[in-house]
Amino acid sequence: MAGKRTLSRELITATALDVVARDGIAALSMRRLAHELDVWPMSVYRHFRDKEDLLDAVAAAGAEDVAMPRSRGGSSKRVAALAEEARVLLERQPNELRRRALGSAGLTRLGDAARQALLE
């Protein structure tokens, strides 16, 4: 367990991502996070309403790493590159988080870039 540090949504989400990466989504619980962070379970609930809220944050954080492909070539090549980036992102997400990731900022950026490429 870690030493004393300021508990935040970002720290809890990062710790949750670590748990999911190490042990899978089934191992993620509010109690497990509290143990990992060396805090009382209710401390986690001060930052997240419930596990559903936490899972939304974990999915969104996983989608933040989306790389915007270089805009080379015609619009069809750019849209194809953006679609590939979205596919790679969703494959990295555990099945249980894919639906939640669809509305994330990372995928929204890809969709916006694809619309822009098509408009050009």
Side-chain angles (χ1 to χ4, degrees):
M1 288 196 262
K4 290 286 182 191
R5 55 190 160 186
T6 303
L7 198 59
S8 66
R9 279 184 69 91
E10 293 77 19
L11 176 60
I12 295 167
T13 302
T15 304
L17 281 167
D18 289 344
V19 169
V20 170
R22 272 192 329 260
D23 303 322
I25 191 78
L28 183 62
S29 69
M30 301 301 247
R31 186 174 301 277
R32 168 78 185 271
L33 274 177
H35 177 76
E36 294 275 332
L37 293 162
D38 194 23
V39 298
W40 290 102
M42 287 311 294
S43 299
V44 177
Y45 284 102
R46 287 190 188 118
H47 297 275
F48 293 94
R49 283 186 317 275
D50 52 23
K51 187 174 177 184
E52 295 299 310
D53 189 24
L54 173 66
L55 290 173
D56 288 340
V58 169
E64 288 301 312
D65 297 334
V66 172
M68 295 299 287
R70 298 244 183 234
S71 56
R72 296 181 186 195
S75 63
S76 62
K77 284 186 179 182
R78 292 190 348 229
V79 170
L82 291 162
E84 176 64 14
E85 196 61 37
R87 184 190 64 76
V88 167
L89 164 72
L90 290 171
E91 282 183 352
R92 277 194 325 240
Q93 294 275 10
N95 286 337
E96 297 87 346
L97 296 181
R98 286 181 184 165
R99 174 185 52 84
R100 295 171 190 274
L102 290 174
S104 68
L107 282 180
T108 300
R109 280 195 326 260
L110 288 175
D112 291 345
R115 275 189 292 283
Q116 184 62 38
L118 291 172
L119 288 172
E120 293 170 6

